[in-house]
Amino acid sequence: MRKLPKIDDENIVASIGEDVAAYRFHNQLLLQTVDMITPVVNDPYDFGAIAAANALSDIYAKGGVPLFALNILGFPTNTLPLSYLEEMIRGGADKAIEAGISVLGGHTIDDAPKYGLSVTGYIPEGKTFVSKANARPKDVVVLTKPLGSGVYTTAIDHGLATDEQVKEVTELMIELNKSASEAMQTCNVHACTDVTGFGLIGHLTDIAEQSGVTIEINFKNIPFLKDALSLIQRGAISEGLINNQHSFRNHISKIHPISIDEEQLLFDPQTSGGLIIIVSEEEVDKLKRELRNKNVFGVQIGQVTSKQETNIQII
Ligand code: CO
Ligand code: CO
């Protein structure tokens, strides 16, 4: 990324390092993001809906509202039936409708199946763009979905997952972060991002670095899918998890002892994970109430402190 030409444009509000690009155009703050993934579940309709929810998530993490989207997809015409493609696109289009937008076109290449959206959105008047760089000491950290989707989808890939586990993880990943974002925008939040490929620790590290703080996480408060630990013990460990562990393990210190399996769960890459919302102590009860009113899961998993030796402390 360092080799890219320097960008000089006073209308740029966010770029590399943020969940979206943000660009001021006349009096509007426009948002743009693109995300695509390989199949995480076997059902093509569900996969399409999950890929769309995953792509929309970056807009919601910034407190934005989506406007419209374009499909971006890979599809192997010689090895998969056309019905797979149709179902996948239908899943994405239905999820877009749930988000209040339409898919207005797109682009396909002949390749192994992959799907995602490029989403255009904006920040409504009177609302603010929620960055990663404004977490402050004494703030509280709230997470809006349990962790473990990477472990479950790896179990699916290995043929280890039961029908019930497939259902549990599909319901989790298919859920839009729309209501969580709306609840967040009723409060004076300081920072937010969505939990995706870098796992909980990777995304918390990003916020901690950009904000110049340390984040303490209370391990016993972290919510996991029911069978996440047992599946990890049965070997449902993705390459992404191992990569995250290598990249981020030096960023954590453990004050509270946790097992190797438990630690691995914190590095598990998520698909369409929840929001990490960082809010002042004074506003956290309001945030929790708003989340509850909208039927959104939300757990306080930690707090922000002034910068310590490591970005993350597990207490
Ligand atoms: Co993101
Ligand atoms: Co993304």
Side-chain angles (χ1 to χ4, degrees), residues 3 19 34 44 60 80 83 102 105 112 115 147 171 186 192-193 200 206 209-210 212 236 245-246 291 300:
K3 292 207 176 115
D19 292 293
V34 58
Y60 292 133
L80 277 178
S83 60
S102 301
Y115 181 50
L147 304 174
E171 280 171 3
T186 66
C192 182
T193 195
L200 179 71
D206 194 11
E209 279 182 341
Q210 293 204 35
Q245 198 168 19
H246 281 295
L291 288 169
Q300 188 171 327

Side-chain angles (χ1 to χ4, degrees), residues 18-20 33 35 54 57-59 61-62 132 192-197 203 206:
E18 259 302 346
D19 292 293
V20 302
T33 182
D35 216 314
N54 183 66
S57 180
D58 281 325
I59 300 280
K62 304 294 96 184
K132 297 178 183 175
C192 182
T193 195
D194 55 334
V195 188
T196 52
H203 292 285
D206 194 11

Side-chain angles (χ1 to χ4, degrees), residues 9-315:
D9 183 334
E10 60 185 19
N11 294 312
I12 298 166
V13 173
S15 60
I16 299 159
E18 259 302 346
D19 292 293
V20 302
Y23 195 91
R24 188 156 311 279
F25 186 64
H26 299 290
N27 288 326
Q28 287 286 350
L29 187 57
L30 294 176
L31 310 179
Q32 184 75 51
T33 182
V34 58
D35 216 314
M36 78 191 302
I37 57 173
T38 54
V40 282
V41 293
N42 294 323
D43 183 276
Y45 179 88
D46 287 345
F47 168 52
I50 291 165
N54 183 66
L56 282 153
S57 180
D58 281 325
I59 300 280
Y60 292 133
K62 304 294 96 184
V65 174
L67 277 171
F68 62 89
L70 300 174
N71 281 325
I72 171 160
L73 53 104
F75 184 74
T77 22
N78 293 327
T79 54
L80 277 178
L82 210 59
S83 60
Y84 185 101
L85 177 70
E86 287 165 358
E87 281 296 285
M88 187 172 81
I89 292 175
R90 198 168 64 83
D94 281 349
K95 193 47 72 174
I97 289 169
E98 189 189 325
I101 64 166
S102 301
V103 180
L104 304 182
H107 184 71
T108 309
I109 54 169
D110 205 314
D111 195 9
K114 327 186 156 60
Y115 181 50
L117 299 176
S118 171
V119 188
T120 302
Y122 70 106
I123 298 289
E125 228 184 284
K127 302 287 182 192
T128 44
F129 177 87
V130 184
S131 84
K132 297 178 183 175
N134 200 25
R136 304 168 206 170
K138 290 191 173 157
D139 283 353
V140 172
V141 184
V142 172
L143 178 67
T144 68
K145 284 188 190 183
L147 304 174
S149 64
V151 172
Y152 271 58
T153 57
T154 305
I156 293 173
D157 195 43
H158 292 185
L160 287 174
T162 63
D163 289 350
E164 200 191 318
Q165 287 163 341
V166 172
K167 188 166 172 271
E168 190 188 358
V169 73
T170 299
E171 280 171 3
L172 184 78
M173 295 187 293
I174 219 162
E175 189 188 323
L176 286 173
N177 283 325
K178 181 175 192 275
S179 298
S181 178
E182 287 166 358
M184 164 172 96
Q185 279 291 36
T186 66
C187 302
N188 175 20
V189 285
H190 289 167
C192 182
T193 195
D194 55 334
V195 188
T196 52
F198 295 122
L200 179 71
I201 298 289
H203 292 285
L204 284 174
T205 297
D206 194 11
I207 289 180
E209 279 182 341
Q210 293 204 35
S211 299
V213 296
T214 283
I215 296 174
E216 288 180 348
I217 48 181
N218 307 97
F219 185 79
K220 62 173 190 340
N221 292 356
I222 296 182
F224 296 107
L225 289 174
K226 191 161 91 257
D227 302 323
L229 194 60
S230 63
L231 285 171
I232 225 170
Q233 284 160 350
R234 290 175 66 198
I237 297 172
S238 65
E239 214 172 291
L241 187 154
I242 301 294
N243 291 339
N244 286 342
Q245 198 168 19
H246 281 295
S247 306
F248 300 111
R249 92 166 116 213
N250 293 334
H251 293 275
I252 61 173
S253 50
K254 285 167 279 180
I255 287 141
H256 173 86
I258 54 175
S259 71
I260 293 167
D261 308 319
E262 287 173 332
E263 185 175 324
Q264 280 186 316
L265 282 179
L266 301 180
F267 294 110
D268 184 43
Q270 306 296 286
T271 298
S272 190
L275 301 183
I276 296 169
I277 304 174
I278 303 205
V279 67
S280 71
E281 256 181 317
E282 294 75 36
E283 293 254 308
V284 69
D285 287 335
K286 183 177 179 204
L287 174 65
K288 286 185 192 164
R289 195 166 55 239
E290 293 289 343
L291 288 169
R292 238 186 347 258
N293 287 345
K294 291 178 180 296
N295 266 321
V296 180
F297 179 91
V299 178
Q300 188 171 327
I301 61 161
Q303 48 283 324
V304 180
T305 71
S306 59
K307 193 159 174 38
Q308 312 290 312
E309 219 151 281
T310 57
N311 292 122
I312 311 293
Q313 287 189 331
I314 297 164
I315 63 169

